[in-house]
Amino acid sequence: ENYEVLECSKQRDVKTRKLSGFKVYAEDLKGRDCIIIDDICDGGRTFIGLVEELKKKNAGKLYLAVSHGIFSKGLEQLSQHFDKVFTTNAFKDCEENEKLGVFGLEV
């Protein structure tokens, strides 16, 4: 299959740590499914902000894959926006469920 990589961005106020200015650099995603890939998810605000922009660009199903899932605010809010979230057990052990896929890493 042919996969396209899209650039996305955000702005963070260094004093307040508030996020804004989320952008997806694509005109129309035409219902294509999208996966956001990143190294870490703490509270998830970055990804929820990107979801809003992806939906404005006509994205299909949305997925999130992070190597380190901290999920300090839990998975409930992320689960409302993503069809599935993927992570490893590199940071902590997470119980896999219908919305969370966990890949075990062995040392």
Side-chain angles (χ1 to χ4, degrees), residues 14-59:
V14 293
K15 291 180 182 176
T16 65
R17 312 266 308 141
K18 185 176 178 173
L19 300 176
S20 64
F22 295 95
K23 291 184 182 176
V24 174
Y25 298 96
E27 292 300 317
D28 185 355
L29 296 170
K30 300 177 182 172
R32 289 181 287 179
D33 297 344
C34 297
I35 183 168
I36 297 172
I37 301 172
D38 209 330
D39 59 344
I40 194 165
C41 177
D42 184 2
R45 180 63 193 127
T46 294
F47 307 112
I48 292 169
L50 287 175
V51 162
E52 294 168 7
E53 293 304 308
L54 286 164
K55 288 182 178 181
K56 288 179 188 176
K57 304 286 182 149
N58 301 313

Side-chain angles (χ1 to χ4, degrees), residues 30-99:
K30 300 177 182 172
R32 289 181 287 179
D33 297 344
C34 297
I35 183 168
I36 297 172
I37 301 172
D38 209 330
D39 59 344
I40 194 165
C41 177
D42 184 2
R45 180 63 193 127
T46 294
F47 307 112
I48 292 169
L50 287 175
V51 162
E52 294 168 7
E53 293 304 308
L54 286 164
K55 288 182 178 181
K56 288 179 188 176
K57 304 286 182 149
N58 301 313
K61 291 182 180 180
L62 299 174
Y63 302 94
L64 174 64
V66 294
S67 58
H68 294 78
I70 297 171
F71 309 126
S72 62
K73 297 187 190 244
L75 282 168
E76 186 176 322
Q77 191 174 19
L78 287 171
S79 296
Q80 293 173 15
H81 299 281
F82 290 97
D83 289 271
K84 189 119 181 174
V85 176
F86 300 95
T87 191
T88 69
N89 63 351
F91 180 74
K92 67 178 183 177
D93 288 328
C94 297
E95 255 187 62
E96 190 167 354
N97 63 44
E98 66 181 37
K99 287 281 194 160

